[in-house]
Amino acid sequence: MGFALNVKGLTSLSPFIVSMNPAGTMTFILAGISLILLNETKKRSAFNRLGAALAAIVGFVGFVKIVGLIAVHEVYFDSILFSSQINEVANGHLNRITPNAAIVFFCVGVSLAMSYGGKRIKTSNVFACLGIITAMLALFGYIYNVEELVSVNGLTPIALNAMLGLLLLSLGALFALPEQGLMRYVTDDGAAGVAARRLMLVALITPEFLDVVFHNYPTQLRLVLISLGSSLVFASILWSTITKLHAVDMDRAAAVGKLQEEGAKDRALMESIGDGVFAVDRTWHITFWNRAAEHISGMTQEEVVGRQLNDVLKFERMEDGTENISFIEEAMRKGTSQTMGSHTQLIAKDGRKVPLEDSAAPIIDQKTGLTTGAVIVFRDVSNEYELEAHKQQLSRMRDDFVFRTIHDLSSPVNVIRMALAVHAEEDKNMKKTAKELESISVLKEVSERMSKLIEDLCRVAAGENPDVLLKKTTIDTEPLLKELLQALAPTMTPRNIVMKYEIQTKSRRVIADPDALGEVFDNLLTNAIKYSKDGGTITVSQETAGAFLNTSFQDAGIGISVVDQSKLFMPYFRAVGQEIPGTGLGLYIVKTLVEKMGGTIAVSSTLGQGTRFTVSLPAAR
C-alpha cells in the first residue's frame, strides 16, 4: 500500500532511510499465507498443496537471491515492481532484497515446505531457528547501532519493518507445529517443557533489559552489572524451576505409585475371577494370562506370555473346526466389545476340546484414543453343554413316556366306548330301568371325558415338542370363524345365546397354521359358550394393530378374578369355584399354539361381567 500510494512512512521505519523492497513484501505475504494454510491442511488437501507451493516459491526467491549475491550477479526480479521508486539511490544503496532478508526467506520457505511434508520436523525447526538468528542479528544492529549487522558486507541494509516482519515470520514457522519436532519439548506439560519455557524467555530478554537499565553507566561497570544481574536472575529462575521440577517429580512419583497400586489390585482381581482372562497387543503377542486361563487351557503364564496368540492357542468353530479369532480382530478394528459366538471351542494343551463362551473388548489408550490391544474373557461351558444334552435326553424320555401312557390309556377307553355303542345298538328296542340308563349315561360321560383328556395330552405333547413344526401359510380368518360359528350354533340355540361378528378391518388374513388356528378359535369359542349365561351375547371382533391382526372373543359370562388371570394359561389350572368340568389344558394348548405361530394371547376380565380373550397374529400383506 505504501508503494502503491507513494507514502514513504508506510514503506520505511529505518534510521538509515531504507524501505522494504516490493518483491520482498510480496514474498513475505506469500510466506504468511503459507503459514496460515498450514493449520488447515488436516481439513482440506487442496490447502495442503497450495500452502506447500507457496512455501516452495518463498524458498526459491531466497535461494536465487543468495546465489546471485554470491556470484556477484544482479537478480532483476526484485527490481520489477515500482521500479521508478525503488531505483532511487537512498543513502548510497538501491532498494533490493537484502542478503539477510534472502537468508530468512530461504530458511522460512524450506521450514514451511518440510512442515507440509509432515516429515523431518526437527530439521524444519532448525531452518526456522536460522531465520530467527538472522533476523535477531539485524535487530541487535538497530538496537546497538551496529551498521555491519544491518547491512551485510556493505550491501543494501535491511529495513526495520522488514526485519521485524521476518522475525515474526520465522517465529511463526518455528511454532507452526507445536506438538512436533523440537517445539514439543517446549510445549510439553512435563518437567522439560516447564524448564524450557522459563529459561529460554529469560535468556532472550535479560541481557537486553539490563543493558537498557545500565545504559548510562561506564562501559566496564555496565558489563559487570549486566553479568551480575544476569547471574542473579538466572539463579532465581533456576531455583524456582528446580523447585517446580521437584514438585513435578514428587507428583509423578505419587501418581506412579498409585498406578502401580491400582495395577496390582486389577491384576489381583483378574487373577481371582473364575473366568479365563488374557490380553494381546496390536502385534497379537499375549501380555497377560490369569490362573483361570491356566486351568481351562492347561498352559501356564510362562508358556504363553510374550508369545504370538496363534503359536499357543487355537479357537475353532465346533461345526467345521475352522479358526475363530474374528471376534478379537473386530474388537480391535471397531473399538467395541465383540461376543465370541456360540459353538466355539478351545484346543487345550492335552488335546481336549473345551467349549467356550464370552467376549473380547478393546484396550484403548486414553491419551491418543488408539486401540493398543484387546482383553479376552472366556469361560468353560462344558457343564452347560452336558446339562443341555441331559435335558434333551430327559425330554425325549418324558415324551416317550407320555406317548406310551396316552397309548395305554386310549386302548381301554376305546374298548369302553365301542362296548357302549354295541350295547346301545343291540338294546335299541329293549326297555331299561332308570338305574341302568343312569349307569350307561355315567359310563358314556366318563369315557368322553377320558377321551377328551387323552386328546388334550396329545396336543400338549405335540405343542411342547420342538421337533413338531407348524406349516404356516396365508389364511383368511373370516370363512374359518363363520364355519366354526355355524358348527357351534346347536349348542347356543337351546340356551338362547346370541353370537355377533364385528369386523373393523378390510384385511382379515394372517400367517398361521390352518389346523392350529382352527383349534385356537374353536377352543376360545367353545369356552365363551360354555361360560356364558343363558340369554347372553358373545361378540367376535377383528381389528388391525400395526403388523398384527387382533381377533377378540368377548362373553358376558361369570368372569375371572385378577388372581386367577395370572395363572390362567398354566397347565391343569382350574379357577377357584369352577363347577363346569374340564381338563385345565385347553388354554395352555391355545397359548402354546399361538406363540408357535409368532403371536400372543391376552385376557381381560371382570367377575360377574364377562371375559375377553384377544389373539394377535402376524397379518398377511
Side-chain angles (χ1 to χ4, degrees):
M1 291 294 293
F3 283 107
L5 301 175
N6 199 16
V7 179
K8 197 79 172 175
L10 296 178
T11 63
S12 174
L13 302 174
S14 169
F16 301 111
I17 319 176
V18 179
S19 299
M20 286 187 71
N21 180 269
T25 303
M26 292 301 299
T27 306
F28 177 82
I29 292 172
L30 295 179
I33 295 173
S34 177
L35 182 60
I36 293 170
L37 292 179
L38 185 59
N39 294 323
E40 299 292 330
T41 56
K42 293 181 179 179
K43 301 176 183 177
R44 300 183 185 178
S45 58
F47 286 164
N48 191 315
R49 293 192 292 270
L50 177 59
L54 294 178
I57 292 172
V58 172
F60 180 74
V61 168
F63 177 75
V64 171
K65 186 64 181 180
I66 292 170
V67 171
L69 291 171
I70 294 173
V72 195
H73 181 76
E74 179 69 25
V75 178
Y76 294 103
F77 68 79
D78 57 354
S79 60
I80 298 174
L81 298 175
F82 305 102
S83 57
S84 60
Q85 298 180 45
I86 65 174
N87 287 328
E88 297 176 1
V89 177
N91 214 25
H93 300 285
L94 293 173
N95 189 331
R96 299 290 185 268
I97 294 178
T98 64
N100 33 19
I103 294 172
V104 175
F105 281 140
F106 174 72
C107 292
V108 168
V110 173
S111 176
L112 290 176
M114 287 186 169
S115 296
Y116 275 102
K119 297 179 180 179
R120 301 184 182 277
I121 303 301
K122 288 185 179 180
T123 307
S124 167
N125 294 156
V126 170
F127 275 98
C129 289
L130 291 175
I132 292 171
I133 292 170
T134 304
M136 287 290 292
L137 288 173
L139 176 62
F140 289 151
Y142 276 107
I143 293 174
Y144 297 109
N145 200 21
V146 180
E147 189 171 354
E148 288 79 4
L149 296 178
V150 178
S151 176
V152 178
N153 201 26
L155 298 173
T156 305
I158 188 169
L160 178 59
N161 44 0
M163 179 277 301
L164 292 174
L166 292 172
L167 177 60
L168 292 175
L169 190 62
S170 301
L171 288 169
L174 180 63
F175 286 93
L177 300 173
E179 295 181 355
Q180 300 181 46
L182 298 174
M183 296 317 298
R184 74 173 184 268
Y185 302 117
V186 179
T187 58
D188 183 55
D189 292 332
V194 173
R197 289 191 294 272
R198 290 189 174 198
L199 297 177
M200 284 179 64
L201 186 63
V202 172
L204 292 173
I205 295 175
T206 300
E208 286 72 23
F209 175 75
L210 293 177
D211 182 64
V212 173
V213 172
F214 302 122
H215 181 70
N216 295 324
Y217 285 75
T219 302
Q220 290 186 347
L221 179 59
R222 184 177 66 189
L223 292 174
V224 171
L225 292 174
I226 290 173
S227 176
L228 180 60
S230 297
S231 298
L232 290 174
V233 170
F234 270 102
S236 300
I237 296 298
L238 187 60
W239 178 259
S240 174
T241 303
I242 290 172
T243 304
K244 176 71 174 178
L245 294 179
H246 177 70
V248 170
D249 288 340
M250 293 297 291
D251 291 343
R252 181 172 296 171
V256 169
K258 188 175 181 181
L259 285 174
Q260 289 177 342
E261 182 181 352
E262 291 178 353
K265 289 180 180 178
D266 291 342
R267 185 172 290 274
L269 177 63
M270 291 296 178
E271 291 289 354
S272 64
I273 63 176
D275 290 351
V277 180
F278 71 92
V280 295
D281 59 19
R282 289 294 299 183
T283 60
W284 293 87
H285 285 87
I286 298 174
T287 58
F288 176 77
W289 186 261
N290 77 340
R291 290 177 185 172
E294 288 185 4
H295 176 72
I296 295 171
S297 67
M299 299 181 221
T300 64
Q301 284 187 1
E302 291 74 16
E303 290 177 298
V304 298
V305 172
R307 297 181 63 186
Q308 281 271 352
L309 175 66
N310 289 339
D311 293 340
V312 291
L313 289 179
K314 185 178 181 182
F315 294 101
E316 63 179 25
R317 297 177 179 85
M318 291 184 182
E319 57 268 20
D320 55 12
T322 58
E323 186 180 54
N324 181 25
I325 58 170
S326 58
F327 67 101
I328 306 176
E329 295 171 340
E330 290 293 295
M332 289 197 282
R333 186 175 66 84
K334 294 182 178 179
T336 57
S337 296
Q338 302 291 321
T339 57
M340 183 180 291
S342 57
H343 307 297
T344 299
Q345 60 190 12
L346 168 70
I347 307 302
K349 184 179 180 180
D350 58 4
R352 289 179 300 112
K353 295 183 177 181
V354 184
L356 303 175
E357 282 185 4
D358 240 313
S359 61
I363 301 173
I364 299 176
D365 190 312
Q366 299 298 321
K367 239 183 176 181
T368 63
L370 299 176
T371 301
T372 60
V375 174
I376 297 87
V377 181
F378 62 98
R379 61 189 182 91
D380 182 355
V381 292
S382 300
N383 292 337
E384 284 87 340
Y385 272 82
E386 291 176 3
L387 180 61
E388 182 62 27
H390 185 58
K391 285 171 63 178
Q392 291 178 1
Q393 183 180 5
L394 288 176
S395 178
R396 287 192 294 270
M397 292 173 63
R398 183 200 63 181
D399 292 343
D400 184 62
F401 171 76
V402 168
F403 284 117
R404 286 178 180 273
T405 303
I406 290 171
H407 178 269
D408 292 343
L409 286 173
S410 61
S411 295
V413 170
N414 290 333
V415 170
I416 294 172
R417 295 183 69 181
M418 288 177 62
L420 286 171
V422 171
H423 185 71
E425 185 67 27
E426 290 177 351
D427 298 338
K428 266 184 184 178
N429 300 319
M430 295 179 63
K431 293 183 179 180
K432 295 182 175 59
T433 64
K435 191 172 183 180
E436 288 175 333
L437 290 173
E438 182 181 356
S439 298
I440 292 172
S441 176
V442 169
L443 284 172
K444 186 176 181 181
E445 181 182 347
V446 169
S447 65
E448 287 178 351
R449 286 173 61 186
M450 285 293 294
S451 180
K452 180 69 168 62
L453 176 61
I454 291 169
E455 289 177 3
D456 286 347
L457 287 172
C458 287
R459 291 191 182 95
V460 169
E464 290 181 345
N465 190 343
D467 296 329
V468 177
L469 301 177
L470 300 181
K471 298 177 181 179
K472 297 181 185 178
T473 185
T474 300
I475 303 172
D476 189 344
T477 58
E478 184 178 9
L480 175 62
L481 285 170
K482 288 182 177 179
E483 182 181 340
L484 288 172
L485 292 175
Q486 186 177 359
L488 293 171
T491 63
M492 294 186 289
T493 304
R495 298 175 56 194
N496 295 321
I497 295 174
V498 178
M499 183 75 71
K500 289 183 179 180
Y501 183 34
E502 298 177 352
I503 303 174
Q504 301 176 18
T505 178
K506 291 182 180 179
S507 176
R508 297 169 296 281
R509 297 185 305 162
V510 295
I511 305 296
D513 179 274
D515 294 335
L517 184 61
E519 186 169 348
V520 168
F521 285 174
D522 180 64
N523 193 300
L524 294 175
L525 282 170
T526 302
N527 280 352
I529 295 169
K530 187 188 300 183
Y531 294 104
S532 287
K533 299 174 183 177
D534 292 349
T537 300
I538 297 173
T539 303
V540 179
S541 59
Q542 288 185 305
E543 61 179 358
T544 55
F548 289 82
L549 176 70
N550 292 345
T551 304
S552 298
F553 303 85
Q554 173 74 55
D555 65 49
I558 58 178
I560 306 168
S561 70
V562 176
V563 175
D564 287 345
Q565 287 178 41
S566 62
K567 307 173 185 176
L568 201 58
F569 298 103
M570 296 173 61
Y572 307 109
F573 174 75
R574 302 282 292 159
V576 177
Q578 187 61 259
E579 297 178 357
I580 299 174
T583 63
L585 292 172
L587 289 176
Y588 173 70
I589 295 170
V590 166
K591 182 174 184 292
T592 302
L593 293 175
V594 168
E595 290 178 349
K596 273 202 166 189
M597 291 186 288
T600 59
I601 183 170
V603 60
S604 60
S605 181
T606 304
L607 280 174
Q609 297 182 16
T611 302
R612 181 185 183 92
F613 286 93
T614 301
V615 176
S616 296
L617 290 170
R621 298 290 182 184

